[in-house]
Amino acid sequence: MLSARGVSVAYGALVVLHDVDFVVNAGDRIAVVGPNGVGKSTLLRVLAAELPPDSGVVSATGTVGYLPQERDRRDGESALAYLARRTGVAAAEQAMLAASDALAEGQAGAEQDYTAALDAYLALGGPDLDSRAAELATGLGLPADLDRPATGLSGGQLGRLALAAVLLARFDVLLLDEPTNDLDVAGLELLEGHLSGYRGGVVVVSHDRAFLEAVASDVLRIDPHTRAAKLYGGGYLAYRDELERDRIAAAEAHEEYAAKRDDLIERARRQKEWARSGERSAKSAASRRKEPDKNIRHQRAESAQQLGARAAATLRAVDRLEPVAEPRKEWQLRLRFGAASRSGEVVAVLSDAVVRRGAFMLGPVNLQLNWGDRMLIKGDNGSGKTTLLQALLGRIPLDAGRGSLGASVVIGEIDQDRATFDQSARLIDAFGEQSGLLAGEARTLLAKFGLGADDVGRPVGRLSPGERTRADLALLMVSGANLLVLDEPTNHLDLPAIEQLEQALDSYDGTLLLVTHDRTLASHLAVTRTIEVTAGQVRPG
């Protein structure tokens, strides 16, 4: 249904994709994996014909739909118009209307164009999109009025609207870039169930491990060094096992090659030394005195020359060895939170606290966070989790009750919007201001988080969500925080970075407040308390 043959893309001297080959058939669910910046989103854009490759060919025998990572709300666009655009119905309708006008004008070939446009509109589910969207919106908890502007929706509602676009789409091949971002557990399970039974082909970029385990039938890995791609069959867990076997085999092959090469070089060295020693011995005066027979002395000289010839042959054998490159070590995020200075025994407390925001009410909440607590906060989107965090930290006024922050509490935070730094400032300037580090120290630290010279000189607002998240983590590492407040910290991080974050949190000895829909992170991390927020009510989870 969709194929890429020899696809390569470069930005100047930077190779992003190199000679990528793979095919998407009906029922395939291919996960594209690799570190941030390796070219996953670029590959989806090439497959969607939004970006022409520098070389190679992409061909499709059916409709291809691309849903990018950014939710791309447009000014004045209603929620229904958003769905029509993201499902391809809007473009198909425009093509059908244009063909209809051409048909009315009697243009040559207009009848065939109209038939093709009508078929595409019907295949994408255009006639009943409105009714299907209205029915689905109710089940997803979206506003019943889909004619309202999409720009007025909250982040959680926009995530569900993007999910609705996936559920309503009828493309032959669906290209999804980070579809799990901003989805709660119910939304994730709904998406997994839908994609698992999708009749068309699916190519998805995601860093959600539980999602990949549930959905992927194959994994396409883009190598960060060669930028070539390799397809692994059997699902995500099988891919992880096979990738580890590949790494072990590559290391063993290089070790075997290096040992054989070193052995031959050492043998040639010894042969040369013996040859030189034999020649010197055969020509020396002492040798003539010990062995007056010149024939025997000549034979010894010949033996030395033969040793020299064998040394040369041994070196030629080294040259004939098939070189095996040493496996490159991939860059890893080295994240460690330092020992936290102790705060007071009571870190934060809410007593009969109530917060009202329009028709929504949180509380009354009675909650005390103590030193060393590791609290996981669960709940659907819109239930009040972020409001609870802000109330605990004293960031928003209470409409009733009281709240307080304990003594000597130093807060380190990653918020859901990744708005830690001034979006208009250069990263190096904004980071230096908040961290207190000198420019050189800040550059060195940010480089350890994969943010190089080009990245730190850009305005924060022009960084990708993943780059902003890594900058937030770098700030946390030097903050000396004894209270970490993490609101969806794994959004936009690649898989190796998520695993590094898990390890850093495991060894953190301060107080932790965590909101996450990453089911793998939640199951791996040791917590002391779990609470659940449901429609503004807080109870033990």
Side-chain angles (χ1 to χ4, degrees):
M1 302 181 76
L2 180 68
S3 67
R5 298 296 184 194
V7 167
S8 296
V9 176
Y11 297 130
L14 176 63
V15 176
V16 180
L17 298 170
H18 176 67
D19 202 22
V20 174
D21 281 302
F22 74 108
V23 174
V24 185
N25 294 305
D28 285 349
R29 297 180 302 280
I30 300 174
V32 182
V33 302
N36 282 342
V38 80
K40 301 185 296 294
S41 295
T42 299
L43 177 60
L44 291 195
R45 292 183 62 208
V46 171
L47 295 175
E50 286 200 355
L51 178 69
D54 294 315
S55 62
V57 177
V58 173
S59 57
T61 59
T63 55
V64 178
Y66 170 48
L67 280 74
Q69 180 177 167
E70 301 297 336
R71 304 306 189 199
D72 67 342
R73 289 174 287 190
R74 298 180 180 178
D75 290 340
E77 184 179 59
S78 69
L80 184 59
Y82 174 94
L83 292 173
R85 176 168 57 83
R86 300 264 295 191
T87 56
V89 168
E93 186 174 16
Q94 288 297 317
M96 186 177 64
L97 292 174
S100 176
D101 291 341
L103 183 63
E105 294 171 2
Q107 295 182 15
E111 185 173 351
Q112 291 177 332
D113 291 344
Y114 179 77
T115 300
L118 176 61
D119 287 344
Y121 179 71
L122 294 174
L124 292 171
D128 62 347
L129 177 67
D130 293 13
S131 59
R132 288 189 294 124
E135 181 180 354
L136 184 61
T138 302
L140 292 178
L142 286 166
D145 179 14
L146 292 178
D147 290 325
R148 66 187 292 182
T151 50
L153 298 177
S154 67
Q157 289 174 324
L158 186 60
R160 290 195 291 275
L161 188 67
L163 171 61
V166 178
L167 301 180
L168 293 168
R170 292 182 175 175
F171 297 110
D172 295 315
V173 178
L174 199 53
L175 309 175
L176 304 176
D177 197 353
E178 296 289 1
T180 61
N181 281 351
D182 304 317
L183 292 184
D184 53 27
V185 173
L188 289 168
E189 291 174 348
L190 189 60
L191 176 63
E192 289 170 358
H194 176 73
L195 294 182
S196 294
Y198 197 72
R199 290 186 174 184
V202 178
V203 182
V204 58
V205 172
S206 177
H207 297 134
D208 186 314
R209 292 161 290 178
F211 172 77
L212 293 177
E213 290 172 17
V215 169
S217 61
D218 305 277
V219 175
L220 184 76
R221 179 179 183 268
I222 301 177
D223 187 278
H225 304 295
T226 65
R227 299 306 176 103
K230 179 177 179 180
L231 189 67
Y232 294 80
Y236 180 70
L237 291 178
Y239 150 74
R240 293 291 295 261
D241 292 342
E242 190 174 349
L243 180 63
E244 185 60 25
R245 287 195 295 271
D246 281 354
R247 287 173 175 162
I248 293 171
E252 289 176 346
H254 173 72
E255 288 174 4
E256 181 180 349
Y257 159 75
K260 188 178 293 184
R261 179 199 60 200
D262 293 346
D263 179 66
L264 288 172
I265 290 173
E266 176 60 21
R267 188 189 306 172
R269 186 195 65 77
R270 291 196 305 268
Q271 288 168 339
K272 281 184 176 181
E273 183 60 34
W274 293 337
R276 284 194 294 266
S277 176
E279 288 177 357
R280 287 195 302 268
S281 176
K283 294 176 181 178
S284 68
S287 176
R288 287 196 295 272
R289 288 194 299 269
K290 290 180 181 178
E291 181 52 67
D293 190 326
K294 65 179 181 180
N295 292 322
I296 295 176
R297 293 201 306 273
H298 179 70
Q299 184 178 4
R300 289 176 178 172
E302 279 190 342
S303 296
Q305 290 172 358
Q306 289 171 359
L307 277 173
R310 282 202 292 271
T314 302
L315 288 176
R316 287 195 296 272
V318 174
D319 294 334
R320 287 194 298 271
L321 284 177
E322 188 68 31
V324 178
E326 182 177 5
R328 295 189 185 183
K329 293 182 179 179
E330 295 185 13
W331 175 86
Q332 286 188 328
L333 173 65
R334 300 295 182 182
L335 180 60
R336 295 290 184 273
F337 299 123
S341 60
R342 184 176 176 113
S343 68
E345 183 60 34
V346 176
V347 175
V349 63
L350 291 174
S351 299
D352 296 320
V354 174
V355 177
R356 292 186 175 87
R357 289 185 166 178
F360 175 79
M361 184 179 83
L362 173 72
V365 179
N366 290 285
L367 182 64
Q368 182 168 307
L369 184 67
N370 297 321
W371 165 255
D373 274 350
R374 299 166 63 86
M375 183 182 292
L376 174 64
I377 302 175
K378 299 166 59 177
D380 292 340
N381 286 339
S383 61
K385 301 186 302 297
T386 300
T387 302
L388 175 62
L389 285 181
Q390 297 302 306
L392 268 171
L393 300 179
R395 302 271 178 79
I396 55 176
L398 303 179
D399 292 285
R402 59 186 180 85
S404 62
L405 204 61
S408 304
V409 173
V410 180
I411 298 171
E413 184 176 8
I414 292 182
D415 67 0
Q416 196 168 349
D417 295 328
R418 306 300 191 260
T420 304
F421 303 105
D422 180 354
Q423 301 294 292
S424 63
R426 295 193 314 156
L427 175 60
I428 187 65
D429 300 328
F431 189 86
E433 181 180 349
Q434 293 214 30
S435 67
L437 297 177
L438 298 175
E441 296 171 327
R443 287 179 185 275
T444 300
L445 177 60
L446 290 169
K448 293 179 181 178
F449 284 76
L451 298 165
D454 292 340
D455 304 315
V456 301
R458 282 187 284 156
V460 172
R462 289 178 53 194
L463 297 173
S464 71
E467 289 167 336
R468 293 200 300 272
T469 303
R470 293 203 302 273
D472 285 348
L473 289 172
L475 184 62
L476 283 188
M477 201 166 90
V478 296
S479 67
N482 52 31
L483 170 60
L484 289 185
V485 182
L486 308 180
D487 196 350
E488 299 294 354
T490 61
N491 278 359
H492 314 296
L493 285 179
D494 57 34
L495 293 168
I498 291 172
E499 291 171 354
Q500 284 289 313
L501 176 61
E502 278 184 9
Q503 294 174 23
L505 291 177
D506 270 338
S507 60
Y508 178 64
D509 59 0
T511 307
L512 174 66
L513 276 174
L514 175 65
V515 174
T516 185
H517 293 134
D518 187 320
R519 292 157 294 177
T520 307
L521 174 66
S523 64
H524 286 181
L525 199 62
V527 298
T528 58
R529 301 168 65 188
T530 300
I531 62 172
E532 186 156 357
V533 186
T534 305
Q537 298 300 305
V538 179
R539 58 181 178 80

